[in-house]
Amino acid sequence: MTADSAPFIFPHRHLLSIEGLSPDDITALLDRAEGYIEQNRQGDKKQSLLRGRTIVNLFFEESTRTRTSFELAGKRLGGDTINMAAQTSSIKKGETLLDTAITLNAMHPDVLVVRHSESGAVQLLAEKVDCAVINAGDGMHEHPTQALLDALTIRLRKGRLQGLTVAICGDVAHSRVARSNLLLLGTMGARVRLVAPRTLLPAAVDRLGVEVYTDMEQGLKDADIVMMLRLQLERMQGSFVPSLREYFHFFGLDYKKLAVAKPDALIMHPGPMNRGVEIDTEVADDINRSAIRQQVELGVAVRMAVLEGLGQQPRNN
Ligand code: NCD
């Protein structure tokens, strides 16, 4: 498939979550994204599919790769991308969010890409604007484009998603990445395991329909994919782990723990990484086993597919 064949229209108004997407929706996005990978490696990366369209990146929380890759993705499709680093500081968050949404809406953007520290905030904003909204991470809820880029990485490296055993390890409780990934991987027929200390598992973990382990050796046994999560200290009130040293000892990925996984198990991490906390630095940089850099590369391709699919929809504003 070439990325510039027939226009790609995603059959949903927004991309707020993986929940609610069908296997066909997911496959269509992944196929489209795959067509952009080669183009992103060429000197001339630019297309004009989103010419005249305006994409606003509205980030209420810090970000390096997500914000940058959305910006690049919009630009590579020929759209006009602007970045807004929103400040939430002393103003009440609800008011700020709705005021911002109404203000931006009056400028007729075509796509709003939003990251916010509150779960559900992006959905709320989507209800107040006329344009398409993409969730770039809302609190501890979802981060759909991260799950899509992770799925594309797995599909390219392993040839499929169906039937693979994926161990998602670490701070699951605070992770929107884990949530979106377990929903997507479950929808696509992979077997998901969550591996974490009890204090870092979500409250209703037994209702998620996944296998749960509190021991790395058991959780990683024969896994095809080992996906490590950042210890999200900024979302923790109080102490969830005795010490970072002890956390690394029991839950940090090193070669010793990795040895029980399949010999060709792929190592993933959404970034940013805490080296020496959830992952050993040598394992993270292992060019044969780690897909961490490829995840970043494919993030641009996935966001191009999502922006293309939503940004070309007819507008009523
Ligand atoms: C993740 C996020 O923001 O949820 N990062 C990312 O988007 N690549 C994970 C994290 O912050 O640990």
Side-chain angles (χ1 to χ4, degrees):
M1 190 205 76
T2 58
D4 55 357
S5 50
F8 169 61
I9 310 278
F10 190 57
H12 297 268
R13 182 163 164 66
H14 306 295
L15 179 63
L16 300 176
S17 55
I18 294 296
E19 194 167 10
L21 298 187
S22 67
D24 283 352
D25 289 336
I26 293 166
T27 302
L29 281 171
L30 299 183
D31 288 349
R32 194 67 184 178
E34 202 170 321
Y36 283 121
I37 299 171
E38 220 14 75
Q39 185 196 317
N40 282 337
R41 292 178 183 157
Q42 306 299 317
D44 182 2
K45 302 177 183 62
K46 196 136 170 164
Q47 297 218 2
S48 55
L49 282 166
L50 292 188
R51 191 157 168 256
R53 304 280 171 159
T54 308
I55 301 145
V56 179
N57 277 335
L58 180 60
F59 278 61
F60 291 86
E61 246 191 11
E62 296 75 32
S63 170
T64 306
R65 61 219 88 213
T66 306
R67 195 190 55 68
T68 316
S69 63
F70 267 113
E71 184 179 357
L72 278 178
K75 288 187 164 145
R76 287 183 186 170
L77 292 173
D80 295 314
T81 313
I82 63 159
N83 294 313
M84 292 190 50
Q87 303 295 333
T88 45
S89 57
S90 57
I91 313 159
K92 262 186 112 185
K93 282 181 185 157
E95 283 174 6
T96 310
L97 186 66
L98 295 186
D99 279 350
T100 311
I102 291 159
T103 305
L104 288 173
N105 198 44
M107 298 179 197
H108 304 293
D110 298 284
V111 184
L112 270 178
V113 180
V114 188
R115 170 170 284 194
H116 199 281
S117 58
E118 302 281 335
S119 308
V122 183
Q123 161 94 46
L124 187 72
L125 189 142
E127 288 162 14
K128 305 287 172 197
V129 297
D130 301 305
C131 64
V133 175
I134 299 171
N135 181 4
D138 65 325
M140 300 186 278
H141 177 227
E142 279 227 38
H143 191 355
T145 58
Q146 180 69 45
L148 286 162
L149 76 87
D150 290 339
L152 183 60
T153 309
I154 297 171
R155 210 176 73 162
L156 282 179
R157 298 285 284 254
K158 297 285 174 199
R160 68 188 207 281
L161 295 165
Q162 169 90 33
L164 293 178
T165 299
V166 183
I168 304 179
C169 314
D171 188 358
V172 181
H174 299 102
S175 178
R176 52 199 178 202
V177 174
R179 213 182 128 72
S180 288
N181 259 304
L182 72 89
L183 290 168
L184 188 152
L185 292 165
T187 303
M188 301 308 282
R191 246 177 84 183
V192 179
R193 296 177 182 171
L194 299 178
V195 191
R198 251 173 237 295
T199 49
L200 293 178
L201 283 168
V205 72
D206 34 314
R207 274 191 265 140
L208 292 173
V210 295
E211 295 168 40
V212 179
Y213 296 85
T214 52
D215 177 278
M216 284 287 270
E217 211 168 300
Q218 288 169 19
L220 262 50
K221 193 164 180 354
D222 297 326
D224 295 286
I225 310 289
V226 180
M227 189 183 287
M228 300 308 297
L229 301 170
R230 182 173 65 89
L231 198 58
Q232 302 200 18
L233 295 169
E234 80 279 14
R235 296 194 203 280
M236 296 181 193
Q237 274 148 6
S239 178
F240 284 73
V241 291
S243 74
L244 297 185
R245 222 183 125 104
E246 188 171 326
Y247 183 78
F248 180 74
H249 179 72
F250 288 107
F251 290 94
L253 185 67
D254 53 16
Y255 283 114
K256 188 165 172 275
K257 295 190 191 81
L258 188 62
V260 297
K262 291 242 177 85
D264 61 349
L266 197 63
I267 299 153
M268 299 176 72
H269 192 304
M273 279 185 279
N274 288 317
R275 289 172 185 265
V277 177
E278 68 265 358
I279 190 163
D280 172 68
T281 206
E282 270 181 58
V283 173
D285 296 335
D286 186 327
I287 50 165
N288 300 313
R289 310 288 302 271
S290 167
I292 298 171
R293 277 191 229 163
Q294 191 176 17
Q295 288 172 269
V296 178
E297 181 190 16
L298 301 185
V300 181
V302 158
R303 283 157 185 141
M304 287 172 82
V306 172
L307 284 174
E308 184 195 358
L310 293 174
Q312 295 190 110
Q313 289 173 353
R315 297 268 78 91
N316 57 4
N317 54 338

